Amino acid sequence: MSVTGGAAGWLWLDSPHWAEFIATYLFLGGVSGGAYLTSTWASLMKHLMDEQNWLSRVLLARSDDPEHRFSCSETARWGSLIAVLGIAVGGLALLSHLGAPIRALTFPVLFTNFGSWLVIGTWVIVLFSVWAVLETLWLHFGADLQGTSGLSLFPRKILSWIDGVMPWRTDRGITWLIDTIADATRPPSRLWGGLRIIGGVLSVTLVVYTAMLLSDVTVVQFWTRPYLPFIFLMSGVSTGISAALLGTVLSGGALTRTNHRFCLTDDAIIVVELVGIGLLLSFLSSSPNMGAQASLTALFDTYQLLFVGGVLAFGTIIPVILSLTITVLHEFTHFEENPMGARLLTGGYATKYVLVLIGGFLLRYVVLMAAVKSPLAVPGL
């Protein structure tokens, strides 16, 4: 960690330990929580279509669209799967940062200060991980999914392939065993819906926790509350939607109403996120704190390319413009009826989601790298 300035200099938090690994963990934590919320909402839409009641007609307009039904199922499965993969890889990134990662397994005994966001976050990560795994199990396995198509079902297809190449081939292989466990443990529909509310609370807490942990460091004005937690929440939900819907696009659901509605929802969240970023920048610019001013300078000087170009331009503004352009072509023209037009629209959706994901990572990276401690006055100097 380098020190610059005079008698009342500031400390840049530029240790490499606070660079890529922690930024990856913060990013994947947000993606995991946002992807789970996306999965839950897509599952709700699928449930409403199955119910065929007045609420489904109000919210969905049409409940007899097979493509919409397929893309809802794909989005729900992709969201739960990405939630599991994201928290798993993010957890590894976090453990790699620790000096003694094995000691993290003793957290139920050692982590007893429940007023600390470090302790709260650790429990949230564990509980969320367990629930996300169960949700993924119930959505990807079960006897009723045998023969079901969809790219999101690749985990069971891999297990089926393993069953097929095993020398002891039998109808009761690994896939059958996991299907049996899924069917035996899957809760009734109403109970499952109630449990998803608990999962939603855990996912939101997971996303917000990553910012609350940083904002506990009160000497860094850049990480102040409530701006950073709000920005991370919006960014986490946005990147989660983008990750799940990117899977839906790859599954062939780019031109469905499911993708279109989620894409517009993501646009609205991005706009709110930009408002939050603007409020944070306004706070920093009006603060007399030297650390706040140094962070602001770093954003528009040292990290100008990453922040202005990566986060603001390519990570938020351009995706919204691209999405609105696609919406106009998709909804008000017959552009998608041409095979080339359909491919361009599909590519446009995929590009938008990839840019949002890149912007989400860069946001957390610059939040870490541009952080500056408040000045420490040294008496007599």
Side-chain angles (χ1 to χ4, degrees):
M1 182 177 294
S2 61
V3 181
T4 62
W10 48 78
L11 293 176
W12 291 84
L13 304 180
D14 59 358
S15 168
H17 297 291
W18 281 82
E20 291 82 6
F21 280 118
I22 297 301
T24 299
Y25 161 65
L26 297 177
F27 168 67
L28 291 178
V31 170
S32 296
Y36 179 85
L37 290 174
T38 305
S39 173
T40 299
W41 181 248
S43 296
L44 174 62
M45 290 197 294
K46 175 67 164 52
H47 175 72
L48 289 176
M49 281 189 286
D50 293 337
E51 290 292 317
Q52 294 283 340
N53 56 24
W54 66 270
L55 186 59
S56 67
R57 289 189 291 271
V58 171
L59 295 180
L60 303 176
R62 288 177 55 197
S63 56
D64 58 345
D65 185 348
E67 292 185 350
H68 186 43
R69 188 181 297 270
F70 169 78
S71 59
C72 277
S73 298
E74 282 293 281
T75 301
R77 288 192 290 258
W78 277 116
S80 67
L81 185 61
I82 290 169
V84 171
L85 295 177
I87 201 65
V89 178
L92 291 176
L94 178 62
L95 290 175
S96 68
H97 169 72
L98 301 178
I102 302 300
R103 292 184 61 189
L105 299 178
T106 64
F107 80 93
V109 177
L110 299 180
F111 286 18
T112 57
N113 180 16
F114 290 98
S116 167
W117 273 100
L118 178 63
V119 177
I120 296 172
T122 303
W123 279 101
V124 167
I125 290 171
V126 172
L127 295 175
F128 176 82
S129 299
V130 172
W131 177 245
V133 168
L134 289 173
E135 183 83 12
T136 302
L137 170 69
W138 296 331
L139 287 175
H140 286 78
F141 293 94
D144 60 333
L145 290 175
Q146 294 179 8
T148 303
S149 62
L151 187 61
S152 65
L153 291 170
F154 73 88
R156 68 176 295 117
K157 294 177 181 178
I158 293 175
L159 293 177
S160 297
W161 176 82
I162 293 175
D163 287 337
V165 299
M166 287 296 182
W168 56 83
R169 293 185 183 181
T170 175
D171 293 336
R172 297 190 172 186
I174 300 175
T175 306
W176 173 85
L177 176 62
I178 299 179
D179 281 344
T180 302
I181 294 173
D183 289 335
T185 58
R186 185 182 292 110
S189 178
R190 290 185 179 274
L191 177 59
W192 194 356
L195 292 174
R196 277 175 171 151
I197 295 176
I198 298 175
V201 172
L202 287 173
S203 64
V204 170
T205 307
L206 173 66
V207 177
V208 173
Y209 140 74
T210 58
M212 297 297 286
L213 188 62
L214 294 180
S215 59
D216 270 346
V217 185
T218 56
V219 294
V220 179
Q221 292 285 298
F222 190 20
W223 295 345
T224 190
R225 300 172 187 170
Y227 303 107
L228 192 63
F230 178 78
I231 293 169
F232 271 30
L233 176 59
M234 294 299 103
S235 175
V237 176
S238 173
T239 53
I241 291 175
S242 295
L245 269 296
L246 182 59
T248 302
V249 169
L250 295 175
S251 298
L255 303 182
T256 61
R257 289 184 297 125
T258 301
N259 180 56
H260 177 62
R261 292 185 178 189
F262 270 112
C263 189
L264 291 180
T265 301
D266 185 36
D267 293 341
I269 294 171
I270 291 174
V271 171
V272 176
E273 178 190 347
L274 282 170
V275 172
I277 293 174
L279 291 174
L280 176 58
L281 295 177
S282 176
F283 165 77
L284 293 176
S285 64
S286 61
S287 174
N289 184 281
M290 293 181 63
Q293 295 300 318
S295 291
L296 192 63
T297 300
L299 287 175
F300 291 98
D301 186 3
T302 308
Y303 301 104
Q304 180 183 31
L305 180 61
L306 294 179
F307 179 64
V308 178
V311 177
L312 296 182
F314 283 95
T316 52
I317 297 174
I318 291 178
V320 171
I321 295 175
L322 181 60
S323 176
L324 294 178
T325 302
I326 295 172
T327 296
V328 172
L329 292 175
H330 190 185
E331 293 295 315
F332 302 104
T333 71
H334 299 288
F335 194 69
E336 76 279 1
E337 295 179 1
N338 183 291
M340 178 60 70
R343 285 194 292 270
L344 288 175
L345 290 177
T346 300
Y349 278 120
T351 301
K352 186 248 180 162
Y353 295 140
V354 169
L355 289 177
V356 170
L357 290 169
I358 294 173
F361 173 79
L362 291 178
L363 170 66
R364 286 146 181 89
Y365 182 81
V366 298
V367 161
L368 290 177
M369 300 306 293
V372 181
K373 283 187 177 180
S374 301
L376 301 175
V378 181
L381 295 179

